[in-house]
Amino acid sequence: MKLAPALKTRHFLPTSFRPLLWSWRWKDIDIAKDKEEIIVSVVNEGSLDDWRWILKTYGKSEIKKILEGRLASEFHPESLNLARVLFSLSKLRHARRGAH
């Protein structure tokens, strides 16, 4: 995986992410390894500044790829609508693989 420039230099999350990742052990969060859960949390509950941080850190194409690999039911409807517009999402999965 090619890291966005910000990901190479930032090894921490903004403190505004603490309420979004309340169930996580803060000091153990790795912004590279845990990026999918960070992105999903921000899309669902993050502020505009949080959205800007993930865009700068992960890049639009990486966020789009991650969101398209997730279940639509993981997102609040209004958050998903905004993400569809911002990231030009064409499709999201509606059932887990192998559920058919």
Side-chain angles (χ1 to χ4, degrees), residues 7 23 31 36 41 43-44 54 58 68 70 80 83 86-87:
L7 192 56
S23 65
I31 64 171
E36 287 199 27
S41 295
V43 167
N44 273 325
I54 64 168
Y58 301 113
E68 286 181 338
R70 303 300 289 237
L80 183 55
L86 289 177
F87 302 109

Side-chain angles (χ1 to χ4, degrees), residues 1-12 30-36 38-39 53-63 65-66:
M1 171 185 94
K2 183 177 177 186
L3 299 178
L7 192 56
K8 293 177 184 175
T9 59
R10 289 185 179 188
H11 300 290
F12 61 91
D30 182 309
I31 64 171
K33 290 179 185 172
D34 301 320
K35 70 181 174 183
E36 287 199 27
I38 292 168
I39 290 168
W53 187 90
I54 64 168
L55 271 167
K56 185 176 180 180
T57 303
Y58 301 113
K60 189 173 183 174
S61 63
E62 183 67 15
I63 294 169
K65 183 176 91 177
I66 288 168

Side-chain angles (χ1 to χ4, degrees), residues 11-46:
H11 300 290
F12 61 91
L13 287 169
T15 56
S16 64
F17 282 50
R18 275 188 182 264
L20 306 179
L21 303 167
W22 61 270
S23 65
W24 291 60
R25 198 173 185 164
W26 187 252
K27 66 178 182 152
D28 294 338
I29 297 173
D30 182 309
I31 64 171
K33 290 179 185 172
D34 301 320
K35 70 181 174 183
E36 287 199 27
E37 297 308 319
I38 292 168
I39 290 168
V40 169
S41 295
V42 167
V43 167
N44 273 325
E45 302 290 342

